[in-house]
Amino acid sequence: MGKQTKSIEQAYRLAKERYAALGVNTDQALKTLAKVPVSLHCWQGDDVGGFENFGATLGGGLVATGNYPGKARTPDELRADAAKAFSLIPGKHRFNLHAFYGEFHGKKVERDEIEPKHFKNWIAWAKELGVGLDFNPTCFSHPKAASGFTLSHPNKAIRAFWIEHCRRAREIGAAMGCALGTPAVTNVWIPDGMKDTPADRRGPRERLVEALDAVFAKKLNPRHNLDAIEGKLFGIGAESYTVGMHEFYLGYAVQHQILVCLDAGHYHPTESLADKISSVLCFVPAILLHVSRGVRWDSDHVVTLTDELYAIAQELVRGGYLDRTHIGLDFFDASINRVAAWVIGTRNMLRALCFALVEPHARYKQLERAGDYTARLALMEEAKSLPFGAVWDFHCLRQGVPVGEAWLAEVKAYEQNVQRQRQ
Ligand code: RNT
Ligand code: ZN
């Protein structure tokens, strides 16, 4: 046994004792943590480019800034990069694809023509890796989305085009879920909105209701596909009006008992996503999270270990919501190594969950019920410097992935030997 392994185990034993004194079973916590999947978003790997080769540039108010070398140019490169990231993250996770990441072999396959067969290599890859897949229709970066409207477009034919695209996306999600034995969450996000003050806020929203009714008309087996819808506050070029704002989709999801997707970058900066979880889950069966980090605007920065991230993880654990929450990530940073971006963001999500799982939250609740807010505050603050890092390190060791910053050397080597060879 290596010296480092020994000291990690020793540190864990001490931490375990310390937590046990507070009534927390760290072995149990790590068992739970090992079973929480995080869905890595494919689009971090190539700056939301996709593989359609229509020459369309990123649209819909989304912007990936930076020009770090080595981005994946083909499905095989993207799969290799994602597999590298998976190998540096403890646990079994998922991969989240957008429709324009299908494999069309140089053919022009329109968005309203996509089929499960265009994703068969992705499904085979996921099966081999033992990861689940999630899915999204791609309602941006396309000439028919250039006006800033898709499902709520005033033109009926364009609306029909996007309805058909979203319908097919759900079928593809179901094919993935069926093949892999774990439901795909298919998430509909559209960019529809306006730069300046609209005269008619009502028309597009009523059209969107109708379009969604058409998209979701066919019932799919929930063991294969789960439907989610994602709202937003504003986008670049859609500063004054977003058709699918949070209230709109929350209403729709409650009415139809589908999943609502909460993206951490999609609210006013002083609003907390964490606080929404226990509200929304009173009314919908489950939620999808797009864990992200907004910086000033919805800039989709790599997830770091912020208070907001801790708060999200704490809500999921304290509320007992892990089994009704599908955790996904959503950021795109092209200014750093893209594999590292996945690893940093995903490890942080799991690290925050690790912290939440080992804090003495049962004790907090007891104190709260007894009205002892002094002790509640005191314990919550003390918990911040408990040796949870030792628990996390031990988890990484046990799961067979690098402990601490050791993963970085592997990404650096991969960058040198693989990514930089792509120039
Ligand atoms: C956009 C939404 C959406 C996208 C992805 C690419 O603001 O967050 O989830 O980021 O679908
Ligand atoms: Zn999102």
Side-chain angles (χ1 to χ4, degrees), residues 65-78:
T65 53
N67 195 17
Y68 201 82
K71 93 168 160 196
R73 300 161 303 179
T74 64
D76 283 333
E77 289 181 356
L78 188 56

Side-chain angles (χ1 to χ4, degrees), residues 17-45:
E17 268 174 38
R18 185 80 192 278
Y19 279 104
L22 294 162
V24 174
N25 181 338
T26 52
D27 289 341
Q28 199 55 49
L30 290 186
K31 245 188 215 152
T32 306
L33 182 62
K35 284 196 224 113
V36 181
V38 174
S39 194
L40 274 70
H41 52 312
C42 74
W43 54 92
Q44 166 57 50

Side-chain angles (χ1 to χ4, degrees), residues 49-127:
F51 300 127
E52 276 177 337
N53 293 323
F54 286 5
T57 50
L58 182 56
L62 308 180
V63 190
T65 53
N67 195 17
Y68 201 82
K71 93 168 160 196
R73 300 161 303 179
T74 64
D76 283 333
E77 289 181 356
L78 188 56
R79 281 190 279 268
D81 290 0
K84 185 76 212 172
F86 280 131
S87 76
L88 303 173
I89 297 164
K92 270 277 170 228
H93 300 287
R94 306 177 63 87
F95 203 57
N96 189 10
L97 286 169
H98 244 282
F100 70 168
Y101 286 83
E103 282 166 85
F104 309 112
H105 308 291
K107 273 221 307 270
K108 192 169 161 115
V109 176
E110 254 310 344
R111 299 259 174 103
D112 63 349
E113 295 166 347
I114 53 166
E115 290 178 54
K117 70 174 186 210
H118 301 121
F119 296 87
K120 69 173 198 303
N121 293 343
W122 282 112
I123 294 173
W125 171 78
K127 200 173 250 171

Side-chain angles (χ1 to χ4, degrees), residues 8 14 27 38 120 125 128 169 179 224 290 292 334 343 365 382:
I8 291 164
L14 294 173
D27 289 341
V38 174
K120 69 173 198 303
W125 171 78
E128 206 182 298
H224 300 158
H290 272 186
S292 183
V343 176
K365 284 185 196 153
E382 287 303 324

Side-chain angles (χ1 to χ4, degrees), residues 230 263 266 290 330:
E230 176 183 9
D263 182 312
H266 287 191
H290 272 186
D330 187 6

Side-chain angles (χ1 to χ4, degrees), residues 98-369:
H98 244 282
F100 70 168
Y101 286 83
E103 282 166 85
F104 309 112
H105 308 291
K107 273 221 307 270
K108 192 169 161 115
V109 176
E110 254 310 344
R111 299 259 174 103
D112 63 349
E113 295 166 347
I114 53 166
E115 290 178 54
K117 70 174 186 210
H118 301 121
F119 296 87
K120 69 173 198 303
N121 293 343
W122 282 112
I123 294 173
W125 171 78
K127 200 173 250 171
E128 206 182 298
L129 244 68
V131 303
L133 290 176
D134 296 305
F135 202 58
N136 308 258
T138 309
C139 301
F140 52 83
S141 304
H142 189 278
K144 287 196 164 71
S147 69
F149 286 91
T150 62
L151 287 177
S152 73
H153 201 286
N155 178 301
K156 196 167 175 216
I158 296 183
R159 251 182 359 256
F161 173 86
W162 290 112
I163 289 170
E164 184 59 22
H165 175 61
C166 292
R167 273 196 192 129
R168 283 169 179 257
R170 294 178 67 228
E171 297 280 2
I172 292 165
M176 290 171 165
C178 178
L180 298 171
T182 167
V185 178
T186 299
N187 177 50
V188 176
W189 171 78
I190 59 167
D192 300 29
M194 283 195 176
K195 182 183 178 77
D196 222 328
T197 316
D200 178 14
R201 289 179 187 266
R202 175 177 174 171
R205 288 191 170 131
E206 292 186 350
R207 288 197 292 273
L208 181 53
V209 173
E210 256 183 56
L212 292 174
D213 287 349
V215 168
F216 297 121
K218 182 169 171 194
K219 294 288 157 242
L220 298 176
N221 186 339
R223 297 216 320 273
H224 300 158
N225 181 74
L226 297 169
D227 295 307
I229 44 182
E230 176 183 9
K232 189 170 180 174
L233 186 63
F234 79 97
I236 299 293
E239 289 84 358
S240 301
Y241 173 62
T242 295
V243 182
M245 68 190 297
H246 176 63
E247 285 76 358
F248 177 93
Y249 284 125
L250 183 59
Y252 194 90
V254 169
Q255 189 177 20
H256 297 276
Q257 289 301 294
I258 59 176
L259 281 63
V260 69
C261 171
L262 306 173
D263 182 312
H266 287 191
Y267 302 95
H268 286 285
T270 56
E271 274 185 274
S272 151
L273 185 157
D275 195 23
K276 297 179 191 300
I277 294 169
S278 55
S279 305
V280 167
L281 279 171
C282 288
F283 303 104
V284 293
I287 54 172
L288 169 65
L289 295 183
H290 272 186
V291 181
S292 183
R293 177 167 54 105
V295 177
R296 304 201 184 277
W297 54 285
D298 170 34
S299 52
D300 303 278
H301 282 61
V302 176
V303 166
T304 55
L305 202 54
T306 58
D307 286 348
E308 174 68 0
L309 188 66
Y310 278 123
I312 291 169
Q314 286 167 324
E315 278 309 303
L316 297 182
V317 171
R318 292 180 191 170
Y321 293 130
L322 280 172
D323 57 345
R324 290 171 67 197
T325 305
H326 302 263
I327 305 175
L329 303 174
D330 187 6
F331 48 79
F332 21 102
D333 190 338
S335 72
I336 60 173
N337 182 295
R338 295 169 183 81
V339 173
W342 270 322
V343 176
I344 294 167
T346 314
R347 284 177 67 116
N348 274 333
M349 181 70 245
L350 294 167
R351 207 192 318 260
L353 283 168
C354 181
F355 179 84
L357 283 163
V358 296
E359 66 172 1
H361 53 89
R363 183 91 184 100
Y364 301 162
K365 284 185 196 153
Q366 264 172 17
L367 292 167
E368 187 167 277
R369 271 194 301 271

